[in-house]
Amino acid sequence: MWNFWRNWRKSAAEKQQEALNAYLDNALSPRQRAALEAELARNEDLRRELSQLQQVREGLRQLPRRRAPRNFTLDPALYGRPQRQPLVQAYPVLRLATGLTAFFFVLAIALQTLAPPRATFFTAAEPAALQAESVAMDAAPTLAAAEPAAAMVTQVETEIAQETAVETMIVTESGEDAAEEVPAAAPFAEMAAEMATPTAEGASLLAAPAAAERQSVPESGLAAYPAPAAAPSPASTPDIPRPAQETQAARAAETGEETAEMTTAVAPTPAPETAVSTQFPQIPWLSVGLGILLALLTILTLIGRRRLV
Amino acid sequence: MDESAIIERARKGDVQAYNRLVIEHQELAYNVARRIVGNPQTAEDVTQDAFIAAYQALDQFRGGSFKAWLLRIVTNRCYDVLRRHKRRPQASIEELTEENESAPFLRSAEESPEQYQQRAELAQVIERCLQSLPPEQRITAVLCDVEGYDYNDIARILSISLGTVKSRISRARSKLRECLQKVQELLPQQYRLGVER
């Protein structure tokens, strides 16, 4: 294959030169030899060229042979039995293994590059969900964690405003009735259910409103809600009714505390999940493993090759 | 004792047996190294290194021609040296003078002193031209034209294809021819290219 490519690239002059030299060294097939001799009979320039090449060859053959300046024998006291070299013995196997690993490594990288981005995000969300509970426990008011919290703040404020409007009803009615009267609780319950099973859709659903509401919530509002995030579930609605004399701030503070408790008890929150998936890119374990294996095999192969004589 | 038996004994640690192989092949190895690296001292080092490497790697010898295997080690060592130096070895003036004075040729009885001198000059010019070749072409030319190996042997020694051998020899001779044509005036009349002898 390689020889064919090289021959294909050679000019006619190069091919003729090679044929002349091979003719001198008696390395042509009978058919090639006959063809060249016919050409030589016709072409005087070719004969002259052949004659010059012959002179060069004879000049090289007449170069004097030199005597070895000394004996190159080994001292038996210095050299013992030749040691076995396992890496050298295994060199052909190592070379094959390195080639195969390189192939699969490139394949893995190619598949990873060509894979749809959704699958990438999904796999990223899984380890994030495992860490969600512990991160929620910390309840650190970082910017990333504050995004879903901001959504919660706005939502709770909306609820409180509605509660103020129907204050008399809140005092008299039960918790179940209150849940029915607060229409905003319904979509949050749905979202909370999604958050309990962390998926890419759940994460993206939460990330979008959080980004939209970020600017509408002042930092002081974030400080009033130390919990990073928690979606209020329908179970929390019985606790919402309060006496009318309580201020909005006090209600909000209490709601925040309750939300923090629920976060640890009910479901992992999407807030750290989203943060983790954006901070730490997906680790392609297969590619990393193959890459490490390839590096090791390459080193061993190079050592073995170096020890080849 | 045949060569394979000697090699088997050497494999078991018999250095004296190996030394018999060394004595048998040292002149060939030194001459090849000398032509390739172009420097007597370096050629000596390369030859010694090659014999040591060959002894330590006797386990890698899979049979066949020990001479071809040894020459492969020698040429590989020469490649290493040339790569390390990253320059084409050039024979110094002192070396050339020394060679002339040390009379490397054996003078035949029927050869006159003038003829001997002319042949020595030709050899000197050819060696210079040989050193101007790229290493891979020089090695191939040395093995083919100086040492007289055929294409198949060279392909085996250098672990290259037959086509590559042909190509390298052709290019090497073409360059040598060009080099010799440039220094025609230095050559005796009968050694000039294109002059029928």
Side-chain angles (χ1 to χ4, degrees):
Chain A
M1 167 78 183
W2 183 244
N3 278 337
F4 172 77
W5 171 248
R6 199 166 34 208
N7 280 333
W8 186 69
R9 288 178 58 199
K10 279 178 191 165
S11 65
E14 279 179 308
K15 285 179 184 171
Q16 196 174 53
Q17 277 288 321
E18 281 185 23
L20 275 179
N21 282 290
Y23 177 77
L24 273 180
D25 296 323
N26 204 17
L28 286 180
S29 66
R31 192 174 57 84
Q32 290 170 324
R33 190 175 186 83
L36 187 68
E37 281 174 350
E39 181 67 25
L40 280 168
R42 285 194 301 269
N43 193 334
E44 193 184 336
D45 288 342
L46 204 59
R47 283 201 300 273
R48 193 181 307 120
E49 201 168 345
L50 180 69
S51 167
Q52 289 180 353
L53 287 173
Q54 203 160 7
Q55 278 180 268
V56 170
R57 181 168 168 262
E58 283 176 16
L60 283 167
R61 293 209 163 170
Q62 285 173 4
L63 281 177
R65 198 168 185 85
R66 290 182 169 81
R67 282 185 187 163
R70 62 179 173 84
N71 272 338
F72 294 100
T73 51
L74 307 190
D75 185 354
L78 293 177
Y79 297 94
R81 184 177 179 152
Q83 291 184 345
R84 287 193 168 274
Q85 297 172 310
L87 269 182
V88 176
Q89 302 289 334
Y91 175 69
V93 179
L94 281 172
R95 197 172 54 176
L96 179 69
T98 307
L100 284 174
T101 312
F103 172 75
F104 285 118
F105 178 67
V106 171
L107 192 69
I109 294 286
L111 286 177
Q112 190 191 335
T113 310
L114 297 174
R118 187 175 177 277
T120 305
F121 194 79
F122 179 76
T123 48
E126 279 183 341
L130 293 173
Q131 297 175 13
E133 188 171 339
S134 61
V135 175
M137 289 284 284
D138 294 341
T142 61
L143 183 59
E147 287 180 3
M152 283 302 308
V153 168
T154 312
Q155 188 58 41
V156 170
E157 280 176 356
T158 310
E159 289 175 12
I160 290 167
Q162 288 172 343
E163 284 171 11
T164 312
V166 290
E167 198 174 76
T168 52
M169 292 178 69
I170 292 170
V171 173
T172 54
E173 285 178 6
S174 67
E176 283 183 88
D177 291 336
E180 287 171 4
E181 285 168 14
V182 182
F188 266 90
E190 196 177 322
M191 287 173 65
E194 285 177 0
M195 287 185 291
T197 55
T199 63
E201 289 86 353
S204 60
L205 269 172
L206 284 163
E213 303 254 355
R214 190 188 305 169
Q215 291 180 346
S216 65
V217 181
E219 282 188 20
S220 57
L222 291 175
Y225 298 90
S233 66
S236 68
T237 49
D239 295 331
I240 290 176
R242 292 294 178 199
Q245 63 269 20
E246 287 185 332
T247 62
Q248 278 194 358
R251 286 184 179 209
E254 283 188 19
T255 312
E257 288 171 10
E258 287 166 8
T259 309
E261 287 170 7
M262 284 187 297
T263 304
T264 55
V266 177
T269 64
E273 184 178 320
T274 310
V276 169
S277 62
T278 51
Q279 283 173 4
F280 300 102
Q282 177 200 10
I283 301 171
W285 292 110
L286 182 65
S287 304
V288 169
L290 282 172
I292 292 169
L293 183 64
L294 180 62
L296 283 173
L297 283 172
T298 306
I299 291 168
L300 289 175
T301 308
L302 287 176
I303 293 171
R305 183 186 170 83
R306 191 165 176 77
R307 289 181 186 173
L308 277 177
V309 290
Chain B
M1 190 181 288
D2 68 335
E3 195 174 81
S4 57
I6 294 173
I7 291 168
E8 201 49 48
R9 281 178 58 187
R11 269 186 181 144
K12 289 174 182 168
D14 189 344
V15 181
Q16 293 296 358
Y18 180 73
N19 282 340
R20 290 171 66 178
L21 292 172
V22 173
I23 290 166
E24 191 179 333
H25 298 295
Q26 63 185 4
E27 197 167 297
L28 168 73
Y30 174 76
N31 271 277
V32 168
R34 174 75 179 79
R35 301 279 179 231
I36 294 170
V37 298
N39 178 299
Q41 187 56 52
T42 313
E44 215 174 303
D45 293 344
V46 163
T47 309
Q48 185 67 78
D49 188 32
F51 277 119
I52 293 169
Y55 177 71
Q56 288 171 338
L58 271 177
D59 268 348
Q60 294 177 43
F61 178 61
R62 304 262 178 252
S65 167
F66 178 79
K67 190 163 74 171
W69 185 70
L70 178 68
L71 281 181
R72 180 154 69 185
I73 297 173
V74 172
T75 51
N76 282 343
R77 288 293 184 278
C78 290
Y79 267 129
D80 290 345
V81 167
L82 294 178
R83 266 197 294 263
R84 210 178 302 141
H85 289 183
K86 289 194 174 178
R87 63 179 172 82
R88 288 180 185 166
Q90 302 266 335
S92 65
I93 292 170
E94 291 78 15
E95 285 165 17
L96 292 172
T97 315
E98 183 189 348
E99 278 172 16
N100 277 339
E101 286 169 356
S102 63
F105 291 95
L106 289 175
R107 214 175 96 188
S108 60
E110 59 268 21
E111 192 175 39
S112 68
E114 284 169 11
Q115 285 173 322
Y116 168 78
Q117 186 60 34
Q118 286 174 347
R119 210 153 56 87
E121 283 173 15
L122 175 67
Q124 194 176 335
V125 169
I126 289 176
E127 285 217 27
R128 272 190 204 167
C129 288
L130 196 60
Q131 294 305 314
S132 71
L133 295 178
E136 64 274 6
Q137 290 176 18
R138 195 187 318 159
I139 289 171
T140 319
V142 166
L143 291 176
C144 180
D145 290 337
V146 181
E147 300 301 331
Y149 286 97
D150 68 19
Y151 287 13
N152 286 313
D153 286 340
I154 295 169
R156 213 172 301 125
I157 290 168
L158 299 180
S159 298
I160 55 177
S161 70
L162 207 58
T164 308
V165 174
K166 284 182 184 175
S167 170
R168 285 185 186 176
I169 286 174
S170 171
R171 287 179 189 176
R173 283 187 189 151
S174 290
K175 283 184 184 169
L176 283 171
R177 188 180 56 165
E178 285 171 21
C179 177
L180 289 172
Q181 278 172 339
K182 282 181 192 168
V183 292
Q184 288 256 38
E185 66 276 7
L186 298 177
L187 297 175
Q189 185 68 28
Q190 67 269 32
Y191 292 121
R192 290 182 184 173
L193 293 180
V195 176
E196 297 294 332
R197 282 183 252 178

